Amino acid sequence: VRRRWRPSGALRIFTGSESASRRRLFFALWPAAEVAAPLHAAPVAAHPGSGGRVMRRDSLHLTLAFLGDVMAARVADAEAAAAKVTASAFTFDLDRLGYWKHNRIVWAGCAAVPPALTALAASLAQALRAAGFQLEDRAFAAHVTLLRNAVCPPAASALAESIRWPVMDFALVESHAGAGGSRYAVRRRWPLRGPRG
Ligand code: ATP
Ligand code: MG
């Protein structure tokens, strides 16, 4: 049994065949090991007294668009929308450490979000909306969740060392609810346009 809050606020309980016909999906930047390793180490160094749960290294990601529970028959439409995205590859630096009180998350982000990242998220959102997917209206907040259930904000608001992230593609990811937190599986990737065309 899997409970999920729907936007309407009504509690739905998915069981049996109904849950089998739905996938919990989101689009994300999925870091290579060279990026994930320092990201994973950052909160341990920066926030030893957080009391929080460190995200698994192979779970770290930056969400571009959250679809939520999608009918299996609609997955191909989401993939077709992703294929329409026109955005260029880019490199950016994660240099900021932040904390959201409402969900007690410690995250890594950028002091200045690169326009190429904003453009990628916007292009994807536009393609998904055109395909009939309802996305949240709230503004894109580029972040990588590092710690959950942190009891207090980190002492520093900058990463000790910024982390360079070359972005060559984006991914469609499936989220599986589990006892120790959600598990993610990259289903498919789409390359971004290279600098040389
Ligand atoms: P859990 O919900 O089990 O605590 P989670 O939030 O990481 O774990 P999901 O809820 O499946 O797992 O979310 C997958 C990704 O999408 C996460 O990066 C999450 O922050 C993001 N996300 C979830 N809900 C939304 C939303 N309504 N709007 C934007 N991003 C979302
Ligand atoms: Mg969630």
Side-chain angles (χ1 to χ4, degrees), residues 26-28 30 75-76 78-80 82-83 169-174 185-191:
F26 61 102
F27 286 95
W30 208 265
V75 175
E79 293 183 341
D169 61 12
F170 68 96
L172 177 61
V173 186
E174 181 162 0
V186 172
R187 288 178 58 113
R188 201 165 156 184
R189 290 175 182 262
W190 288 265

PDB file of all heavy atoms in Angstrom, residues 26-28 30 75-76 78-80 82-83 169-174 185-191:
ATOM      1  N   PHE A  26      10.063  11.856 -12.445  1.00  0.00           N
ATOM      2  CA  PHE A  26      10.547  13.240 -12.511  1.00  0.00           C
ATOM      3  C   PHE A  26      11.737  13.309 -13.450  1.00  0.00           C
ATOM      4  O   PHE A  26      12.387  12.288 -13.728  1.00  0.00           O
ATOM      5  CB  PHE A  26      10.895  13.777 -11.117  1.00  0.00           C
ATOM      6  CG  PHE A  26      11.990  13.030 -10.386  1.00  0.00           C
ATOM      7  CD1 PHE A  26      13.283  13.542 -10.324  1.00  0.00           C
ATOM      8  CD2 PHE A  26      11.727  11.826  -9.750  1.00  0.00           C
ATOM      9  CE1 PHE A  26      14.295  12.875  -9.634  1.00  0.00           C
ATOM     10  CE2 PHE A  26      12.734  11.136  -9.069  1.00  0.00           C
ATOM     11  CZ  PHE A  26      14.009  11.657  -9.010  1.00  0.00           C
ATOM     12  N   PHE A  27      11.973  14.505 -13.962  1.00  0.00           N
ATOM     13  CA  PHE A  27      13.154  14.756 -14.792  1.00  0.00           C
ATOM     14  C   PHE A  27      14.214  15.409 -13.921  1.00  0.00           C
ATOM     15  O   PHE A  27      13.891  16.231 -13.056  1.00  0.00           O
ATOM     16  CB  PHE A  27      12.807  15.671 -15.970  1.00  0.00           C
ATOM     17  CG  PHE A  27      12.009  14.987 -17.039  1.00  0.00           C
ATOM     18  CD1 PHE A  27      10.619  15.070 -17.056  1.00  0.00           C
ATOM     19  CD2 PHE A  27      12.637  14.247 -18.032  1.00  0.00           C
ATOM     20  CE1 PHE A  27       9.878  14.435 -18.035  1.00  0.00           C
ATOM     21  CE2 PHE A  27      11.912  13.607 -19.020  1.00  0.00           C
ATOM     22  CZ  PHE A  27      10.526  13.700 -19.024  1.00  0.00           C
ATOM     23  N   ALA A  28      15.464  15.047 -14.167  1.00  0.00           N
ATOM     24  CA  ALA A  28      16.534  15.553 -13.306  1.00  0.00           C
ATOM     25  C   ALA A  28      17.865  15.575 -14.031  1.00  0.00           C
ATOM     26  O   ALA A  28      18.046  14.893 -15.042  1.00  0.00           O
ATOM     27  CB  ALA A  28      16.649  14.666 -12.062  1.00  0.00           C
ATOM     28  N   TRP A  30      21.404  14.194 -13.517  1.00  0.00           N
ATOM     29  CA  TRP A  30      21.951  13.079 -12.735  1.00  0.00           C
ATOM     30  C   TRP A  30      23.469  13.164 -12.794  1.00  0.00           C
ATOM     31  O   TRP A  30      24.043  13.011 -13.865  1.00  0.00           O
ATOM     32  CB  TRP A  30      21.448  11.740 -13.296  1.00  0.00           C
ATOM     33  CG  TRP A  30      21.399  10.717 -12.224  1.00  0.00           C
ATOM     34  CD1 TRP A  30      22.353   9.804 -11.934  1.00  0.00           C
ATOM     35  CD2 TRP A  30      20.347  10.543 -11.269  1.00  0.00           C
ATOM     36  NE1 TRP A  30      21.960   9.063 -10.843  1.00  0.00           N
ATOM     37  CE2 TRP A  30      20.746   9.495 -10.423  1.00  0.00           C
ATOM     38  CE3 TRP A  30      19.117  11.186 -11.042  1.00  0.00           C
ATOM     39  CZ2 TRP A  30      19.951   9.060  -9.362  1.00  0.00           C
ATOM     40  CZ3 TRP A  30      18.342  10.747  -9.993  1.00  0.00           C
ATOM     41  CH2 TRP A  30      18.745   9.696  -9.168  1.00  0.00           C
ATOM     42  N   VAL A  75       3.623   7.523 -20.230  1.00  0.00           N
ATOM     43  CA  VAL A  75       5.084   7.664 -20.107  1.00  0.00           C
ATOM     44  C   VAL A  75       5.711   8.008 -21.452  1.00  0.00           C
ATOM     45  O   VAL A  75       6.593   8.864 -21.549  1.00  0.00           O
ATOM     46  CB  VAL A  75       5.712   6.380 -19.514  1.00  0.00           C
ATOM     47  CG1 VAL A  75       7.232   6.480 -19.504  1.00  0.00           C
ATOM     48  CG2 VAL A  75       5.183   6.139 -18.101  1.00  0.00           C
ATOM     49  N   ALA A  76       5.212   7.373 -22.513  1.00  0.00           N
ATOM     50  CA  ALA A  76       5.754   7.642 -23.845  1.00  0.00           C
ATOM     51  C   ALA A  76       5.546   9.102 -24.227  1.00  0.00           C
ATOM     52  O   ALA A  76       6.375   9.697 -24.926  1.00  0.00           O
ATOM     53  CB  ALA A  76       5.106   6.719 -24.872  1.00  0.00           C
ATOM     54  N   ALA A  78       5.537  11.641 -22.117  1.00  0.00           N
ATOM     55  CA  ALA A  78       6.556  12.406 -21.379  1.00  0.00           C
ATOM     56  C   ALA A  78       7.902  12.287 -22.082  1.00  0.00           C
ATOM     57  O   ALA A  78       8.656  13.264 -22.193  1.00  0.00           O
ATOM     58  CB  ALA A  78       6.650  11.904 -19.944  1.00  0.00           C
ATOM     59  N   GLU A  79       8.204  11.115 -22.584  1.00  0.00           N
ATOM     60  CA  GLU A  79       9.478  10.907 -23.283  1.00  0.00           C
ATOM     61  C   GLU A  79       9.509  11.683 -24.596  1.00  0.00           C
ATOM     62  O   GLU A  79      10.542  12.257 -24.958  1.00  0.00           O
ATOM     63  CB  GLU A  79       9.694   9.412 -23.526  1.00  0.00           C
ATOM     64  CG  GLU A  79       9.899   8.657 -22.218  1.00  0.00           C
ATOM     65  CD  GLU A  79      10.183   7.174 -22.399  1.00  0.00           C
ATOM     66  OE1 GLU A  79       9.872   6.634 -23.485  1.00  0.00           O
ATOM     67  OE2 GLU A  79      10.702   6.564 -21.455  1.00  0.00           O
ATOM     68  N   ALA A  80       8.386  11.714 -25.277  1.00  0.00           N
ATOM     69  CA  ALA A  80       8.326  12.475 -26.532  1.00  0.00           C
ATOM     70  C   ALA A  80       8.505  13.960 -26.257  1.00  0.00           C
ATOM     71  O   ALA A  80       9.153  14.677 -27.032  1.00  0.00           O
ATOM     72  CB  ALA A  80       6.995  12.208 -27.234  1.00  0.00           C
ATOM     73  N   ALA A  82      10.231  15.237 -23.804  1.00  0.00           N
ATOM     74  CA  ALA A  82      11.654  15.432 -23.472  1.00  0.00           C
ATOM     75  C   ALA A  82      12.495  15.511 -24.740  1.00  0.00           C
ATOM     76  O   ALA A  82      13.457  16.290 -24.813  1.00  0.00           O
ATOM     77  CB  ALA A  82      12.134  14.292 -22.587  1.00  0.00           C
ATOM     78  N   ALA A  83      12.119  14.729 -25.728  1.00  0.00           N
ATOM     79  CA  ALA A  83      12.893  14.713 -26.978  1.00  0.00           C
ATOM     80  C   ALA A  83      12.777  16.039 -27.723  1.00  0.00           C
ATOM     81  O   ALA A  83      13.596  16.345 -28.589  1.00  0.00           O
ATOM     82  CB  ALA A  83      12.405  13.568 -27.859  1.00  0.00           C
ATOM     83  N   ASP A 169      23.603  15.971 -20.392  1.00  0.00           N
ATOM     84  CA  ASP A 169      22.302  15.361 -20.680  1.00  0.00           C
ATOM     85  C   ASP A 169      21.367  15.558 -19.485  1.00  0.00           C
ATOM     86  O   ASP A 169      21.774  16.088 -18.448  1.00  0.00           O
ATOM     87  CB  ASP A 169      22.472  13.869 -20.995  1.00  0.00           C
ATOM     88  CG  ASP A 169      23.075  13.072 -19.849  1.00  0.00           C
ATOM     89  OD1 ASP A 169      23.168  13.602 -18.717  1.00  0.00           O
ATOM     90  OD2 ASP A 169      23.452  11.911 -20.071  1.00  0.00           O
ATOM     91  N   PHE A 170      20.126  15.164 -19.678  1.00  0.00           N
ATOM     92  CA  PHE A 170      19.184  15.136 -18.551  1.00  0.00           C
ATOM     93  C   PHE A 170      18.447  13.809 -18.588  1.00  0.00           C
ATOM     94  O   PHE A 170      18.487  13.099 -19.608  1.00  0.00           O
ATOM     95  CB  PHE A 170      18.243  16.343 -18.580  1.00  0.00           C
ATOM     96  CG  PHE A 170      17.263  16.351 -19.712  1.00  0.00           C
ATOM     97  CD1 PHE A 170      15.970  15.870 -19.551  1.00  0.00           C
ATOM     98  CD2 PHE A 170      17.623  16.849 -20.962  1.00  0.00           C
ATOM     99  CE1 PHE A 170      15.066  15.886 -20.600  1.00  0.00           C
ATOM    100  CE2 PHE A 170      16.725  16.870 -22.023  1.00  0.00           C
ATOM    101  CZ  PHE A 170      15.438  16.391 -21.842  1.00  0.00           C
ATOM    102  N   ALA A 171      17.798  13.464 -17.479  1.00  0.00           N
ATOM    103  CA  ALA A 171      17.274  12.103 -17.343  1.00  0.00           C
ATOM    104  C   ALA A 171      15.823  12.086 -16.889  1.00  0.00           C
ATOM    105  O   ALA A 171      15.352  12.998 -16.200  1.00  0.00           O
ATOM    106  CB  ALA A 171      18.134  11.338 -16.338  1.00  0.00           C
ATOM    107  N   LEU A 172      15.137  11.023 -17.301  1.00  0.00           N
ATOM    108  CA  LEU A 172      13.823  10.705 -16.745  1.00  0.00           C
ATOM    109  C   LEU A 172      14.050   9.653 -15.667  1.00  0.00           C
ATOM    110  O   LEU A 172      14.681   8.625 -15.930  1.00  0.00           O
ATOM    111  CB  LEU A 172      12.883  10.170 -17.828  1.00  0.00           C
ATOM    112  CG  LEU A 172      11.496   9.727 -17.345  1.00  0.00           C
ATOM    113  CD1 LEU A 172      10.723  10.879 -16.706  1.00  0.00           C
ATOM    114  CD2 LEU A 172      10.686   9.134 -18.501  1.00  0.00           C
ATOM    115  N   VAL A 173      13.544   9.924 -14.479  1.00  0.00           N
ATOM    116  CA  VAL A 173      13.845   9.083 -13.327  1.00  0.00           C
ATOM    117  C   VAL A 173      12.555   8.577 -12.700  1.00  0.00           C
ATOM    118  O   VAL A 173      11.576   9.323 -12.593  1.00  0.00           O
ATOM    119  CB  VAL A 173      14.649   9.877 -12.271  1.00  0.00           C
ATOM    120  CG1 VAL A 173      15.094   8.974 -11.129  1.00  0.00           C
ATOM    121  CG2 VAL A 173      15.842  10.571 -12.912  1.00  0.00           C
ATOM    122  N   GLU A 174      12.579   7.324 -12.294  1.00  0.00           N
ATOM    123  CA  GLU A 174      11.433   6.761 -11.584  1.00  0.00           C
ATOM    124  C   GLU A 174      11.749   6.678 -10.101  1.00  0.00           C
ATOM    125  O   GLU A 174      12.849   6.293  -9.709  1.00  0.00           O
ATOM    126  CB  GLU A 174      11.098   5.374 -12.139  1.00  0.00           C
ATOM    127  CG  GLU A 174       9.892   4.765 -11.441  1.00  0.00           C
ATOM    128  CD  GLU A 174       9.272   3.627 -12.234  1.00  0.00           C
ATOM    129  OE1 GLU A 174       9.774   3.300 -13.327  1.00  0.00           O
ATOM    130  OE2 GLU A 174       8.296   3.059 -11.728  1.00  0.00           O
ATOM    131  N   ALA A 185      15.517   5.327  -9.987  1.00  0.00           N
ATOM    132  CA  ALA A 185      16.118   4.585 -11.094  1.00  0.00           C
ATOM    133  C   ALA A 185      16.041   5.439 -12.354  1.00  0.00           C
ATOM    134  O   ALA A 185      14.952   5.857 -12.751  1.00  0.00           O
ATOM    135  CB  ALA A 185      15.380   3.267 -11.302  1.00  0.00           C
ATOM    136  N   VAL A 186      17.203   5.716 -12.930  1.00  0.00           N
ATOM    137  CA  VAL A 186      17.219   6.467 -14.190  1.00  0.00           C
ATOM    138  C   VAL A 186      16.663   5.561 -15.279  1.00  0.00           C
ATOM    139  O   VAL A 186      17.160   4.455 -15.491  1.00  0.00           O
ATOM    140  CB  VAL A 186      18.655   6.918 -14.537  1.00  0.00           C
ATOM    141  CG1 VAL A 186      18.706   7.528 -15.938  1.00  0.00           C
ATOM    142  CG2 VAL A 186      19.163   7.924 -13.508  1.00  0.00           C
ATOM    143  N   ARG A 187      15.628   6.033 -15.951  1.00  0.00           N
ATOM    144  CA  ARG A 187      15.005   5.232 -17.023  1.00  0.00           C
ATOM    145  C   ARG A 187      15.611   5.532 -18.380  1.00  0.00           C
ATOM    146  O   ARG A 187      15.743   4.666 -19.221  1.00  0.00           O
ATOM    147  CB  ARG A 187      13.499   5.544 -17.100  1.00  0.00           C
ATOM    148  CG  ARG A 187      12.673   4.993 -15.964  1.00  0.00           C
ATOM    149  CD  ARG A 187      11.214   5.414 -16.139  1.00  0.00           C
ATOM    150  NE  ARG A 187      10.687   4.966 -17.410  1.00  0.00           N
ATOM    151  CZ  ARG A 187       9.727   4.034 -17.530  1.00  0.00           C
ATOM    152  NH1 ARG A 187       9.196   3.473 -16.473  1.00  0.00           N
ATOM    153  NH2 ARG A 187       9.295   3.691 -18.727  1.00  0.00           N
ATOM    154  N   ARG A 188      15.910   6.806 -18.592  1.00  0.00           N
ATOM    155  CA  ARG A 188      16.343   7.207 -19.929  1.00  0.00           C
ATOM    156  C   ARG A 188      17.026   8.557 -19.845  1.00  0.00           C
ATOM    157  O   ARG A 188      16.735   9.351 -18.961  1.00  0.00           O
ATOM    158  CB  ARG A 188      15.097   7.309 -20.813  1.00  0.00           C
ATOM    159  CG  ARG A 188      15.417   7.212 -22.270  1.00  0.00           C
ATOM    160  CD  ARG A 188      14.145   6.938 -23.054  1.00  0.00           C
ATOM    161  NE  ARG A 188      14.366   7.419 -24.400  1.00  0.00           N
ATOM    162  CZ  ARG A 188      13.455   7.421 -25.348  1.00  0.00           C
ATOM    163  NH1 ARG A 188      12.250   6.974 -25.102  1.00  0.00           N
ATOM    164  NH2 ARG A 188      13.749   7.876 -26.549  1.00  0.00           N
ATOM    165  N   ARG A 189      17.939   8.807 -20.798  1.00  0.00           N
ATOM    166  CA  ARG A 189      18.649  10.093 -20.831  1.00  0.00           C
ATOM    167  C   ARG A 189      18.532  10.720 -22.212  1.00  0.00           C
ATOM    168  O   ARG A 189      18.462  10.001 -23.210  1.00  0.00           O
ATOM    169  CB  ARG A 189      20.138   9.890 -20.523  1.00  0.00           C
ATOM    170  CG  ARG A 189      20.434   9.498 -19.081  1.00  0.00           C
ATOM    171  CD  ARG A 189      21.913   9.208 -18.948  1.00  0.00           C
ATOM    172  NE  ARG A 189      22.276   8.783 -17.604  1.00  0.00           N
ATOM    173  CZ  ARG A 189      22.786   9.593 -16.678  1.00  0.00           C
ATOM    174  NH1 ARG A 189      23.010  10.862 -16.956  1.00  0.00           N
ATOM    175  NH2 ARG A 189      23.098   9.128 -15.491  1.00  0.00           N
ATOM    176  N   TRP A 190      18.548  12.053 -22.249  1.00  0.00           N
ATOM    177  CA  TRP A 190      18.546  12.792 -23.508  1.00  0.00           C
ATOM    178  C   TRP A 190      19.765  13.703 -23.525  1.00  0.00           C
ATOM    179  O   TRP A 190      19.967  14.486 -22.586  1.00  0.00           O
ATOM    180  CB  TRP A 190      17.277  13.636 -23.647  1.00  0.00           C
ATOM    181  CG  TRP A 190      16.067  12.814 -23.900  1.00  0.00           C
ATOM    182  CD1 TRP A 190      15.520  12.509 -25.102  1.00  0.00           C
ATOM    183  CD2 TRP A 190      15.246  12.161 -22.914  1.00  0.00           C
ATOM    184  NE1 TRP A 190      14.416  11.707 -24.943  1.00  0.00           N
ATOM    185  CE2 TRP A 190      14.230  11.478 -23.604  1.00  0.00           C
ATOM    186  CE3 TRP A 190      15.279  12.081 -21.509  1.00  0.00           C
ATOM    187  CZ2 TRP A 190      13.255  10.729 -22.951  1.00  0.00           C
ATOM    188  CZ3 TRP A 190      14.310  11.345 -20.861  1.00  0.00           C
ATOM    189  CH2 TRP A 190      13.313  10.675 -21.580  1.00  0.00           C
ATOM    190  N   PRO A 191      20.569  13.628 -24.579  1.00  0.00           N
ATOM    191  CA  PRO A 191      21.755  14.485 -24.644  1.00  0.00           C
ATOM    192  C   PRO A 191      21.378  15.932 -24.926  1.00  0.00           C
ATOM    193  O   PRO A 191      20.370  16.206 -25.589  1.00  0.00           O
ATOM    194  CB  PRO A 191      22.541  13.894 -25.825  1.00  0.00           C
ATOM    195  CG  PRO A 191      21.523  13.210 -26.676  1.00  0.00           C
ATOM    196  CD  PRO A 191      20.432  12.752 -25.754  1.00  0.00           C
TER     197      PRO A 191
END
